[in-house]
Amino acid sequence: MSTLVPPRLRNDTFAMPQGVEWVPVDEALELLRAALRPVTGTETLPVAQALGRVLAAPAVARRSNPPQPNSAVDGYGFAHAATGAGVQRLPLAEGRSAAGQPFDGALPEGMALRILTGAILPEGVDTVVLEEDCATDGRTISFDGPIKRGANTRKAGEDVAAGSEALAAGRMLSAADLALLTALGVGEVSVHRPLRVAVLSTGTELIADPAAPAAPHQIYDANRPMLLALLAGWGFVPVDLGHAPDDPAEIARRLDAGAREADAILTSGGASAGDEDHVSRLLGESGTLTSWRIAIKPGRPLALAMWQGVPVFGLPGNPVAAFTCALIFARPALLQLSGAGWRRSQGFAVPAAFAKRKKAGRREFLRARLNANGAAEVFASEGSGRISGLSWATGFVELPDEACDVAPGDPVRFLPYGAFGVSFGG
Ligand code: AMP
Ligand code: MG
């Protein structure tokens, strides 16, 4: 088993051009895409164990699918050349061709042979007539011609030819991919090692255990289970760094652990420029912080930094903003680090079931879901403290950077959670 670990990312990975104030979402995504590259090593795995893993090299078909020309139906096979228009009568040959039990020999022209779905077409058979379209007395078959040459047959390699690329490098293997590779005789694949991503919550107000009593000033740490669950769903290995109070020494200790145990770190909280925003202060002192003020709602500055060679994504503390920024920024960045390549989430236009006037200057992601008519409703409150809206919604409506005036029935862009690889719910 060969393992190749790429070099670490440089300290200036997230450097931004001087003088940049508010970064539009698309520009921020483009900067991230350009800055990051795969950081995981590779390993060889049996296909059956490779679900959710990312191909490190193209998977090449060892065998064609189908491997041999075969019948697509249960029926009778014959040489097309011996048939024509009108009622056709062909004497039946002895024997049959079934899946796994090929007919031994060649079928003489002008005769027909019983053939079943998946059976190899023997020499002398290029066309199959469907059983239901035939009458037979056991010695002869008859059917109405003409029938198209090659009807109800599959050509060898018509799906995938041996030697051709079945799946490209960067492909995250699905259940369907396991079927495809197995059909093509591919037993092992070279895949990236799963990206390990550490999660740290920060805030003196946080307590971890929702079953434990909380003092009035305390807040249950909602971001950590959410982020760990998102990461697991995306095929990464989540590493739990717990929560730290707003204490730089403690946060630094946790980041050290994260850099040892993971390929990337997500923090939440303390990412702005306030008195208690120790994450951004600390990352700034480590000399590699870039605080990106991204023109997005919900969301506040996204802190991007390198900590001991490991990229840190400093998400906002507010759970709605943390969720949104994780989906929009962290996920594509982590996919890029994992070898899966950059992904743009695929949305689609639906009619709005709401009205809204939006000012220019930042992109807005509204918690939304489709109603019975396929129109997008938005959550009653845009307040980013309303965590329940994330559960209510099944996706986002994305409103453009520019000003817009949405009236009911106007087309808006809906991005289902599924477009961000987020499943469950509803
Ligand atoms: P911050 O970004 O640290 O200023 O936090 C913004 C808001 O989000 C504050 O009201 C915090 O109490 C809250 N918050 C921060 N982290 C979490 C968390 N892990 N779970 C729930 N709420 C949080
Ligand atoms: Mg805080």
Side-chain angles (χ1 to χ4, degrees):
M1 197 189 300
S2 73
T3 293
L4 224 112
V5 182
R8 291 195 137 188
L9 297 168
R10 289 157 47 108
N11 263 351
D12 61 358
T13 292
F14 294 125
M16 281 268 290
Q18 292 283 305
V20 172
E21 264 289 300
W22 287 93
V23 192
V25 171
D26 287 340
E27 218 170 283
L29 289 171
E30 200 42 55
L31 286 163
L32 275 177
R33 187 232 267 275
L36 299 171
R37 53 179 171 67
V39 294
T40 53
T42 62
E43 62 184 326
T44 301
L45 278 188
V47 161
Q49 291 169 25
L51 180 68
R53 300 294 288 271
V54 174
L55 286 181
V60 174
R62 290 200 326 119
R63 195 183 201 214
S64 292
N65 182 51
Q68 300 290 327
N70 67 33
S71 178
V73 298
D74 288 349
Y76 298 91
F78 47 81
H80 182 264
T83 65
V87 174
Q88 307 294 303
R89 284 194 186 79
L90 301 176
L92 261 179
E94 283 279 316
R96 61 175 205 162
S97 187
Q101 297 170 282
F103 179 74
D104 195 13
L107 183 73
E109 187 166 313
M111 294 191 81
L113 178 73
R114 177 72 172 142
I115 191 162
L116 300 176
T117 305
I120 291 181
L121 303 184
E123 197 186 324
V125 174
D126 61 9
T127 302
V128 175
V129 60
L130 198 64
E131 179 174 295
E132 291 86 331
D133 292 343
C134 289
T136 180
D137 58 6
R139 291 189 308 276
T140 308
I141 62 159
S142 72
F143 59 90
D144 279 331
I147 184 166
K148 252 172 78 180
R149 181 160 189 259
N152 299 312
T153 66
R154 306 172 180 137
K155 293 190 194 60
E158 73 174 19
D159 182 24
V160 182
S164 66
E165 181 177 307
L167 294 170
R171 172 83 186 181
M172 189 177 281
L173 294 174
S174 67
D177 295 341
L178 303 193
L180 175 62
L181 294 174
T182 303
L184 300 177
V186 178
E188 289 188 329
V189 280
S190 168
V191 291
H192 287 276
R193 288 183 184 278
L195 191 78
R196 299 174 61 82
V197 186
V199 175
L200 173 66
S201 291
T202 69
T204 301
E205 73 277 31
L206 298 181
I207 55 172
D209 180 5
H217 62 276
Q218 290 181 315
I219 296 285
Y220 294 117
D221 176 3
N223 288 343
R224 202 148 44 92
M226 172 178 78
L227 294 171
L228 291 168
L230 286 173
L231 292 168
W234 291 333
F236 308 128
V237 177
V239 176
D240 188 355
L241 297 178
H243 73 271
D246 291 310
D247 165 20
E250 184 55 30
I251 296 170
R253 257 194 303 282
R254 304 295 179 109
L255 292 177
D256 287 347
R260 273 195 309 274
E261 293 169 28
D263 304 301
I265 303 174
L266 300 186
T267 66
S268 69
S272 302
D275 293 350
E276 294 296 332
D277 289 321
H278 294 285
V279 173
S280 49
R281 172 118 21 94
L282 191 65
L283 294 173
E285 281 159 14
S286 85
T288 61
L289 172 79
T290 306
S291 198
W292 289 11
R293 300 216 291 164
I294 300 173
I296 182 175
K297 182 184 171 186
R300 284 193 311 185
L302 186 65
L304 296 165
M306 298 301 295
W307 187 269
Q308 297 171 10
V310 170
V312 180
F313 300 85
L315 304 172
N318 178 293
V320 173
F323 183 86
T324 308
C325 287
L327 266 53
I328 303 216
F329 298 107
R331 177 173 179 261
L334 294 173
L335 285 171
Q336 180 93 324
L337 291 168
S338 78
W342 192 260
R343 314 271 166 111
R344 179 155 169 67
S345 294
Q346 190 70 45
F348 50 89
V350 297
F354 63 94
K356 181 179 161 69
R357 180 165 285 175
K358 173 191 167 298
K359 287 191 294 221
R362 58 181 179 169
R363 190 165 304 184
E364 288 193 24
F365 290 89
L366 307 175
R367 283 152 281 173
R369 68 183 187 192
L370 300 182
N371 66 18
N373 300 322
E377 313 179 323
V378 294
F379 189 58
S381 162
E382 287 184 22
S384 58
R386 298 283 297 270
I387 305 178
S388 67
L390 292 176
S391 293
W392 176 91
T394 59
F396 297 113
V397 159
E398 181 183 8
L399 298 180
D401 300 348
E402 307 83 57
C404 67
D405 202 350
V406 180
D410 287 353
V412 287
R413 185 162 187 252
F414 182 68
L415 288 153
Y417 285 158
F420 300 95
V422 175
S423 51
F424 303 112

